[in-house]
Amino acid sequence: MTAVETSRRAAGARDRAHQKAGKRKRLRRYGLNAAAIAVFLFAVFPVYWMVTTAFKSSEQIFTTDFIPFPTDPTFEHVERVFTQGVAGHSIWRFLLNSAIVAIGTVLVGAVFALLGATAVARFRFRGRTSFLILLLIVQMVPAEALLIPLFLMVRRAGLYDQLLGLIVVNVALTLPFAIWMLRTFVAAVPKSLEEAAWIDGASRFTTFWRVLFPLVAPGLVATSIFSFITAWNEFVFALILINDQGSYTMPVALRFFVSQRSVDWGAIMAASTLMTIPVVIFFLLVQRRMVSGLVAGAVKG
Amino acid sequence: MADTSTIARGGDSSPAPARGRRGSAPPRKPSGLPAWVVPYALLLPGLVVIGGLLLYPLYQMVVMSFQNVGLRQIRGVPAESVGLENYEKLLESELFWTSLRNTVVFAVVTVAFTMILGTLVGILLHNLGKKMSTFLVVGIMAAWATPAIASAIIWRWMFDAESGIINWALNALPDWFSELLFGRSDWAGEPWLNEPFTIYLVLILVVTWAGFPFIAVSVLAGLKSISAELYEAARVDGASAWRTFWKITFPLLKPVFSVLIVLSTIWNFKVFTQLFVLAGGTSNREAFNLSLYSFTQAFSAPPKMGMGAAIAVVLTLILLVITAVYVRQIVKTEDVR
């Protein structure tokens, strides 16, 4: 009897302890989820505010009240940035200029980065370590420090006011990181594959093109998207290397817009939204690889 | 995804021992180039770009900092050397010291904020359920991905004196609370972007907002590499969260933290775009940091590019010292040999 009693009591106590632990666990989970939602709101709210302002009517923008979302959404501002535009040019023009610069940077940069990364990842040669350290140091040089000499060089080369000049500068700004990031992708391809191709009688070029390239392609895409984003967002050089308003890229056009029509927040937010959307999409595609590229090694321990 | 397929394909076609062999010369087919030339040939385009467009301008910047480079020199008249004059003027100018102070104070405060917030969010992400953690990662990505120029403009709009949501929110606080916190309750029409001090408050907020996601995701990656057993053991021993962090997480993630601190210090030292937008261009001299000061000297009329270069040299020297720490850390953990 007593034995049964004791064991029953023990079971009850265990149950209660379980319940208590379960309760604490649940409380902890609620707390964590609440914190997560708070951080989420802090991170997302400004972006949300940009997009909703772009679709609010002017009365709802210029008010001292809080209007959480456009109750009467309007495309008025979006339409205006396309038709009236900035400085007499439709926003299309600037989106196009930015796209030309970013895609040009990616096309040239991808080729150079692939060659450089292959050299660093596949060969052992004198000066390799120095080159890798050089890559790291060069990334840290502030672009602002290069501004003055590059401005003079671009002028002397006759590329002032031309998108080509911006492409050249952006290739230089993105290449060190692109090589640094891409080399880990090249190193991940087993060397034996190439050796097999050599033994089968393939030339060095065929091996590169038919064996290495397809396997590195995903990494090349990730690296290219990173370069695209950098070039798409680049502001300082576009500000000083472009004078003609028709050749403005999006960031410069946006800043010009803000300085000219500082109170037309609806149109400014519409233009900002148009600039931000492509970047956010690309970003979600590559963020994981970017982190591993930037803190390479340190994270692996 | 792609990585797994790579490994699978590699495994199919190659005998196991061939892998893991590093540095030994594979049998090579003769081609036009001798083998030792190949890596240098591959590197050539990259070297030309880095040398011609990054290193040479860097050298040029140093040379120009000892010269007088004005409008005439931009048009092609050879610049004459002025020795240390630019630097002497710089050290005497009050603006240089305010800019230096602004740069350093801003960097220190912002690095502290981004590191603390980022680390907390990283730990939070590690402890969340799978769905919630994905949800939060996507959310902080939005802040991270927003272009610098756009984020500065958005926050400028949120801090707008008349219709900005920040002033609305501050007004919506209960009066006693607002009095207690800020010593005032009426925020209508408060201009945030006129005075250097408030400009920098907003700037700190903008840069922290944009910067913490990267720290959080990196810390999360680091945390995932720590074995769960360690935490389990700490929990069994009844260690508090605070103690667990300082005794387990921090020592193991030290290399990650040092890289992250150095990277964000470097980024925050040279912040330009956001300040340029928030301060409304180059007119508010009291709000300059070194980047903006150098830019203004070089590119507003009359251009004093030698002077601008001298400021840029000072900024670069500071950054190089920090970079040296970073490179040492990376070389220690990553095989660059």
Side-chain angles (χ1 to χ4, degrees):
Chain A
M1 264 298 238
T2 43
V4 172
E5 190 93 305
T6 343
S7 81
R8 210 180 274 158
R9 208 177 291 158
R14 218 179 304 131
D15 271 359
R16 249 172 289 136
H18 262 280
Q19 259 171 19
K20 216 172 167 187
K23 206 170 163 191
R24 206 182 305 137
K25 232 182 199 169
R26 222 174 318 133
L27 266 179
R28 185 174 165 243
R29 213 178 52 219
Y30 286 148
L32 287 176
N33 287 352
I37 288 170
V39 175
F40 181 87
L41 288 179
F42 171 63
V44 167
F45 185 79
V47 179
Y48 169 81
W49 204 237
M50 166 182 79
V51 178
T52 46
T53 304
F55 293 103
K56 278 179 184 168
S57 66
S58 290
E59 297 95 78
Q60 292 197 329
I61 293 173
F62 300 106
T63 168
T64 45
D65 284 331
F66 173 55
I67 293 160
F69 53 89
T71 42
D72 183 20
T74 168
F75 283 89
E76 174 202 338
H77 308 299
V78 180
E79 236 178 81
R80 205 162 31 162
V81 294
F82 277 116
T83 54
Q84 249 175 282
V86 182
H89 297 282
S90 162
I91 203 96
W92 273 126
R93 179 73 176 261
F94 308 118
L95 285 168
L96 186 69
N97 287 342
S98 272
I100 292 171
V101 171
I103 292 171
T105 304
V106 165
L107 290 181
V108 181
V111 177
F112 287 8
L114 186 58
L115 296 177
T118 310
V120 176
R122 273 292 181 264
F123 298 88
R124 314 254 131 190
F125 53 91
R126 274 187 70 131
R128 181 171 169 278
T129 308
S130 318
F131 180 72
L132 285 172
I133 291 176
L134 177 72
L135 284 184
L136 280 175
I137 295 174
V138 161
Q139 283 177 62
M140 298 306 154
V141 172
E144 287 73 22
L146 306 171
L147 209 55
I148 300 168
L150 276 177
F151 169 77
L152 294 176
M153 283 170 75
V154 167
R155 262 185 78 106
R156 273 178 210 138
L159 293 175
Y160 184 67
D161 243 346
Q162 289 185 29
L163 295 180
L164 182 60
L166 278 185
I167 294 177
V168 172
V169 168
N170 276 308
V171 167
L173 294 179
T174 53
L175 192 62
F177 182 70
I179 297 178
W180 183 257
M181 186 168 161
L182 199 55
R183 89 198 160 95
T184 49
F185 290 100
V186 177
V189 176
K191 220 173 184 175
S192 46
L193 282 183
E194 286 154 74
E195 287 166 14
W198 280 322
I199 290 163
D200 290 349
S203 74
R204 206 175 260 151
F205 179 75
T206 316
T207 315
F208 178 78
W209 188 241
R210 290 291 174 85
V211 180
L212 189 62
F213 183 75
L215 292 176
V216 176
L220 194 60
V221 170
T223 314
S224 299
I225 290 179
F226 178 80
S227 303
F228 183 95
I229 294 174
T230 312
W232 178 266
N233 292 351
E234 203 289 313
F235 174 68
V236 200
F237 281 98
L239 184 68
I240 60 152
L241 293 182
I242 302 291
N243 187 37
D244 170 35
Q245 294 176 336
S247 309
Y248 275 0
T249 55
M250 262 317 265
V252 184
L254 258 182
R255 123 94 194 159
F256 181 77
F257 203 19
V258 173
S259 65
Q260 289 295 296
R261 306 235 296 262
S262 57
V263 287
D264 192 357
W265 286 113
I268 291 170
M269 288 299 124
S272 306
T273 308
L274 287 169
M275 182 193 170
T276 307
I277 299 302
V279 185
V280 174
I281 294 171
F282 277 156
F283 216 84
L284 289 174
L285 293 176
V286 284
Q287 52 90 4
R288 206 170 310 163
R289 293 174 199 280
M290 248 175 68
V291 177
S292 57
L294 278 170
V295 273
V299 170
K300 274 179 273 162
Chain B
M1 279 281 273
D3 292 344
T4 22
S5 77
T6 303
I7 290 161
R9 270 184 264 172
D12 281 342
S13 58
S14 68
R19 258 199 250 163
R21 203 174 61 186
R22 294 183 85 180
S24 59
R28 272 171 208 282
K29 293 230 78 177
S31 77
L33 292 168
W36 69 267
V37 177
V38 175
Y40 295 106
L42 291 173
L43 267 188
L44 192 65
L47 275 176
V48 169
V49 170
I50 292 173
L53 293 168
L54 297 175
L55 295 181
Y56 177 68
L58 208 58
Y59 161 76
Q60 276 289 311
M61 173 191 70
V62 178
V63 171
M64 280 170 63
S65 75
F66 296 105
Q67 288 174 340
N68 182 7
V69 187
L71 257 187
R72 279 154 41 90
Q73 285 73 23
I74 296 172
R75 297 220 178 92
V77 179
E80 71 235 43
S81 167
V82 293
L84 287 170
E85 199 187 304
N86 288 331
Y87 289 97
E88 279 163 10
K89 268 196 211 154
L90 200 59
L91 294 179
E92 281 164 21
S93 118
E94 212 166 296
L95 207 50
F96 170 73
W97 295 105
T98 26
S99 311
L100 184 64
R101 188 201 60 204
N102 286 347
T103 309
V104 173
V105 173
F106 167 78
V108 170
V109 173
T110 313
V111 168
F113 280 3
T114 31
M115 283 308 296
I116 293 170
L117 183 62
T119 307
L120 287 176
V121 174
I123 295 172
L124 177 67
L125 281 169
H126 192 55
N127 285 299
L128 284 173
K130 201 164 180 220
K131 264 188 210 153
M132 211 52 192
S133 135
T134 314
F135 168 75
L136 185 52
V137 165
V138 171
I140 62 177
M141 280 304 139
W144 186 5
T146 306
I149 183 98
S151 69
I153 292 174
I154 299 168
W155 284 92
R156 193 173 152 167
W157 158 227
M158 300 205 330
F159 275 97
D160 187 59
E162 304 304 325
S163 320
I165 189 172
I166 301 290
N167 280 349
W168 170 84
L170 287 169
N171 267 332
L173 289 174
D175 280 356
W176 63 268
F177 188 67
S178 193
E179 284 284 351
L180 190 73
L181 225 55
F182 313 105
R184 60 187 287 190
S185 57
D186 180 27
W187 293 90
E190 168 75 14
W192 288 93
L193 300 172
N194 289 349
E195 292 296 315
F197 179 70
T198 43
I199 289 175
Y200 272 90
L201 280 188
V202 178
L203 185 66
I204 288 170
L205 184 59
V206 176
V207 176
T208 305
W209 175 75
F212 85 90
F214 170 69
I215 310 289
V217 176
S218 309
V219 168
L220 174 68
L223 285 171
K224 280 188 175 156
S225 70
I226 299 177
S227 127
E229 285 164 26
L230 279 173
Y231 286 109
E232 184 66 19
R235 204 180 55 79
V236 170
D237 290 346
S240 67
W242 182 253
R243 224 182 129 73
T244 312
F245 178 81
W246 287 113
K247 292 288 169 193
I248 299 178
T249 312
F250 185 73
L252 283 173
L253 291 191
K254 231 178 178 172
V256 181
F257 280 124
S258 57
V259 168
L260 289 177
I261 288 175
V262 170
L263 276 178
S264 42
T265 310
I266 290 168
W267 290 335
N268 291 336
F269 248 98
K270 55 187 190 189
V271 64
F272 178 87
T273 308
Q274 293 96 324
L275 180 62
F276 190 75
V277 171
L278 291 176
T282 56
S283 50
N284 197 340
R285 294 153 58 100
E286 292 291 303
F288 281 177
N289 66 0
L290 288 178
S291 299
L292 192 52
Y293 185 28
S294 160
F295 176 89
T296 312
Q297 287 289 322
F299 295 104
S300 39
K304 283 178 271 182
M305 298 211 158
M307 194 69 176
I311 304 166
V313 167
V314 173
L315 177 63
T316 309
L317 283 179
I318 300 175
L319 289 179
L320 274 183
V321 173
I322 308 172
T323 305
V325 180
Y326 171 68
V327 171
R328 262 191 57 193
Q329 189 63 44
I330 287 276
V331 170
K332 243 191 272 171
T333 48
E334 176 104 346
D335 67 316
V336 284
R337 249 144 295 206

